Amino acid sequence: MTRKFDFLVIGNGIAGISFALKASRYGTVALLSKSSLDNANTAYAQGGIATVMYSPDTFEKHIADTLDAGDGHCDIDAVEKVIKEAPAQIEELLSWGIDFDRNDDGKFDLHKEGGHSEFRILHHKDNTGFEIQQALIRRLHAEKNIEVFEGYFAIEILTQHHLGEVVTMHTPNIECYGAYVLNQQTNHIHTFLAKVTLLATGGIGSVYTTTTNPDIATGDGIAMVHRARGVIKDMEFVQFHPTALFHPGEKPTFLITEAIRGYGAVLRTQNGKEFMQKYDERGSLAPRDIVARAIDNEMKMRGHDFVYLDVTHKDAEETKMHFPTIYKKCMELGVDITKDYIPVSPTQHYLCGGIEVDLNGRSSIDRLYAAGECSCTGLHGANRLASNSLIEAIVYADAAVKDAVKYIDKYSWNEMIPAWDDAGTKLPEEMVLITQSFREVEQIMSTYVGIVRSNLRLKRAMSRLEILYKETEDLFDRSVVSRELCELRNVISVAYLIIKHALRRKESRGLHFTVDYPKRMHKSE
Ligand code: FAD
Ligand code: SIN
């Protein structure tokens, strides 16, 4: 069946929903979620959303902190755009009913996280993302112009390739006409035609064995654009959060927000010694790449699986009030954070790279925009400053709507796109092949493409991945499409891009550290 909309939005986190809410003022919108509306990285965010609120903070300070964390690789125009447009976007979030914590004087209660020189993080307790996601969903249901498709998985974006043309990365003006989409309930593949498409498919955590991301984070948008010959950038910059709760076997890994270090918690080795001062004068509040590498180093030197986070010196009632979700989760595991040290270790958390977009959120493919974690705007550079991603997502979703509406009347639906062709395929009889290959990708990436890299490890990862790639493409050609098989293809593409970009970078910068080139080159490429 073919469906036609002015705007097709693939993804239901803060980027996708905020785009949909604004685009619906100008035309019809289809919003796809491969899972349920509440299942998105957005809903997991703890720390909050960074923005300049009160003196003595200034735009200049937030810009300087972002550039510093980004380790010489940020796009200054993107940085200025996000930070200066943030307050207006926060106003909009407030108008949608999102509730951030306030002090008794009515002013917002601001948190501080690693790399921030001022208190500037708006939050709702320690479950800011849940609050945002719920408010966005409530707004979404109130909009008549938006049709929501839950359980609909976007398989491929549609381009001239689907009209039989040969498309390469040198083809001028590749255009996007919508997407092929799998209805997971009926197993039917629909053609969604759109004048403008937004990719807002979120992160890539599922590529690693341990991650803070829910299992929807399989990098689908990035893989789709890669297959469509669009430009993908900066994939080597994978962010590991320094302090995920050490609880082997749990996926996603539970996060211990960096805000708790802003509140006063300190990192200690298993024998109780503080160690961060050895690595950076900002101690436990240094930017994430530095803290994660320091913990990794301490753990490797001592043969330990975790370090401790200590908040026991703070007032117990205050700790419980600020961090109720963390308190409850740790108590369930027998750790009373007001009395006991919390065992933590670094885990995959965020991807700074992704689909390259300009200041209007446009990708290298015409009529295709990207926003949120799947995109690469240049804001984060080589390492994201904490709590800068939710704000980036909403600023760029806004920019994308503003740009798209200028052109929407010029575009028409491309009715020449054929229906999905699954002739010659049959059901994959062996699901175990898919799950086992998935596990192998996670293992390859966690073993060889983690916090510390080397040429040898990266090359070994690439040769192992090539085998999985060939087997999976073969399976894809023979099988009826399933979400699991598509996600496997996508994580393989994402893993390939991370390794390829990591091999290309002959230096250590931000989140990319390699023992073969331990120094930063003078200029970033
Ligand atoms: P998401 O919120 O991940 O939404 C993407 C959606 O797309 C998903 O719901 C998925 O189902 C859907 N989708 C994906 N592929 C397809 C497909 N093929 N077809 C259909 N639908 C698809 N950032 C901050 O700024 N501050 C924080 O405090 C913070 N804390 C965090 C804590 C945790 C534990 C995690 C995991 C992340 C945190 N982040 C934080 C990062 C931030 O939450 C994410 O970067 C941001 O929410 C991403 O939003 P998004 O809209 O791009 O994607
Ligand atoms: C955290 O709360 O530590 C996560 C913040 C972020 O990822 O931006």
Side-chain angles (χ1 to χ4, degrees):
M1 201 209 311
T2 299
R3 301 291 312 262
K4 292 185 218 162
F5 294 87
D6 292 318
F7 303 92
L8 172 63
V9 179
I10 305 176
N12 53 294
I14 188 170
I17 300 183
S18 65
F19 178 97
L21 291 174
K22 293 176 183 184
S24 67
R25 298 170 196 156
Y26 303 95
T28 55
V29 181
L31 182 124
L32 309 184
S33 166
K34 69 175 173 181
S35 176
S36 55
L37 271 182
D38 55 356
N39 191 6
N41 273 11
T42 300
Y44 285 67
Q46 286 188 2
I49 184 157
T51 187
V52 174
M53 289 298 298
Y54 309 122
S55 167
D57 200 8
T58 60
F59 287 145
E60 287 67 33
K61 287 185 189 172
H62 191 181
I63 290 169
D65 293 346
T66 302
L67 294 175
D68 182 46
D71 205 9
H73 193 65
C74 299
D75 177 333
I76 181 69
D77 294 333
V79 175
E80 291 199 349
K81 175 186 176 68
V82 171
I83 287 166
K84 292 183 177 169
E85 291 181 17
Q89 292 307 314
I90 296 293
E91 281 301 319
E92 190 129 27
L93 288 183
L94 292 171
S95 78
W96 290 343
I98 290 165
D99 182 25
F100 296 117
D101 289 357
R102 292 178 189 261
N103 295 318
D104 294 342
D105 60 4
K107 282 180 146 185
F108 288 107
D109 177 52
L110 301 176
H111 274 171
K112 189 176 187 179
E113 295 182 42
H116 289 273
S117 57
E118 294 290 348
F119 285 79
R120 62 166 75 96
I121 296 163
L122 289 164
H123 63 99
H124 178 93
K125 305 257 178 270
D126 57 355
N127 64 354
T128 311
F130 182 79
E131 167 67 16
I132 292 177
Q133 189 76 21
Q134 292 302 313
L136 290 173
I137 293 172
R138 282 195 299 275
R139 281 302 292 205
L140 196 58
H141 288 317
E143 288 300 335
K144 292 203 179 57
N145 244 358
I146 305 176
E147 203 170 330
V148 175
F149 296 86
E150 282 181 281
Y152 279 67
F153 179 90
I155 303 169
E156 295 291 3
I157 53 166
L158 304 168
T159 67
Q160 292 96 322
H161 168 78
H162 299 96
L163 300 169
E165 290 178 28
V166 176
V167 176
T168 71
M169 58 193 291
H170 303 296
T171 305
N173 306 108
I174 307 174
E175 282 193 328
C176 176
Y177 310 121
Y180 285 132
V181 179
L182 172 71
N183 174 342
Q184 295 167 72
Q185 238 180 3
T186 61
N187 273 332
H188 198 86
I189 295 173
H190 303 272
T191 308
F192 276 69
L193 295 179
K195 295 177 180 169
V196 160
T197 301
L198 174 84
L199 284 171
T201 50
I204 57 114
S206 297
V207 170
Y208 285 86
T209 311
T210 63
T211 175
T212 60
N213 297 186
D215 65 2
I216 45 94
T218 49
D220 299 347
I222 296 170
M224 284 190 256
V225 170
H226 173 61
R227 285 196 290 272
R229 308 286 184 258
V231 179
I232 306 294
K233 213 181 144 189
D234 287 355
M235 294 291 285
E236 66 274 41
F237 300 120
V238 177
Q239 186 165 67
F240 288 76
H241 197 291
T243 59
L245 183 64
F246 179 73
H247 183 218
E250 188 174 43
K251 199 169 182 189
T253 315
F254 184 78
L255 184 74
I256 306 293
T257 178
E258 205 162 291
I260 208 163
R261 276 178 279 138
Y263 167 75
V266 289
L267 287 158
R268 298 185 187 280
T269 56
Q270 284 192 20
N271 57 11
K273 287 234 160 41
E274 277 192 50
F275 58 88
M276 268 314 298
Q277 218 64 40
K278 257 188 341 201
Y279 296 89
D280 193 287
E281 61 187 14
R282 289 164 286 188
S284 293
L285 267 182
R288 256 176 217 180
D289 55 335
I290 297 170
V291 182
R293 253 192 320 273
I295 296 177
D296 187 65
N297 192 41
E298 292 292 325
M299 292 191 332
K300 283 192 178 132
M301 269 182 347
R302 293 160 205 279
H304 290 166
D305 289 336
F306 58 86
V307 295
Y308 282 123
L309 190 60
D310 169 18
V311 71
T312 56
H313 52 288
K314 300 289 287 187
D315 179 79
E317 290 314 308
E318 212 184 321
T319 301
K320 284 193 242 174
M321 186 188 72
H322 279 289
F323 306 103
T325 317
I326 292 174
Y327 176 75
K328 183 166 172 279
K329 171 74 185 181
C330 291
M331 272 309 252
E332 282 165 14
L333 302 176
V335 178
D336 178 347
I337 67 170
T338 65
K339 298 192 185 111
D340 307 320
Y341 293 171
I342 312 167
V344 293
S345 63
T347 193
Q348 194 286 338
H349 181 61
Y350 185 84
L351 176 70
C352 295
I355 303 159
E356 183 181 52
V357 294
D358 67 12
L359 290 171
N360 296 311
R362 282 168 165 252
S363 75
S364 62
I365 296 177
D366 287 349
R367 297 166 61 165
L368 181 71
Y369 293 77
E373 191 166 338
C374 70
S375 69
C376 180
T377 65
L379 169 72
H380 310 306
N383 173 44
R384 177 177 65 104
L385 183 67
S387 289
N388 259 358
S389 51
L390 293 169
I391 195 65
E392 177 198 44
I394 188 158
V395 166
Y396 271 83
D398 180 73
V401 173
K402 285 182 178 140
D403 193 70
V405 298
K406 287 193 257 169
Y407 304 100
I408 193 95
D409 290 338
K410 289 207 307 207
Y411 301 141
S412 52
W413 294 297
N414 193 324
E415 317 253 6
M416 305 296 286
I417 294 286
W420 177 267
D421 179 13
D422 58 5
T425 58
K426 58 186 171 58
L427 274 176
E429 64 279 18
E430 297 208 72
M431 182 66 184
V432 67
L433 295 180
I434 298 174
T435 47
Q436 181 54 28
S437 296
F438 213 112
R439 247 176 250 139
E440 285 177 37
V441 176
E442 292 171 359
Q443 274 159 8
I444 291 169
M445 294 304 285
S446 299
T447 310
Y448 302 120
V449 200
I451 295 176
V452 175
R453 299 159 181 182
S454 74
N455 282 336
L456 202 62
R457 290 180 211 175
L458 292 173
K459 283 183 187 151
R460 177 173 288 196
M462 190 61 110
S463 62
R464 300 286 193 276
L465 198 69
E466 268 161 16
I467 300 169
L468 291 173
Y469 171 75
K470 288 197 188 98
E471 288 172 356
T472 306
E473 287 307 299
D474 181 49
L475 199 60
F476 187 78
D477 289 342
R478 289 187 289 115
S479 308
V480 167
V481 166
S482 68
R483 171 173 160 187
E484 291 79 9
L485 181 52
C486 291
E487 287 183 336
L488 172 62
R489 276 183 100 205
N490 292 342
V491 295
I492 290 174
S493 294
V494 168
Y496 163 79
L497 287 164
I498 294 171
I499 302 167
K500 183 175 154 194
H501 291 195
L503 276 167
R504 220 164 46 190
R505 185 163 290 282
K506 306 285 186 224
E507 64 165 348
S508 291
R509 182 183 294 274
L511 296 159
H512 175 69
F513 182 83
T514 162
V515 293
D516 292 305
Y517 314 100
K519 294 253 157 41
R520 199 176 94 159
M521 281 193 303
H522 186 56
K523 206 171 155 302
S524 180
E525 288 171 355

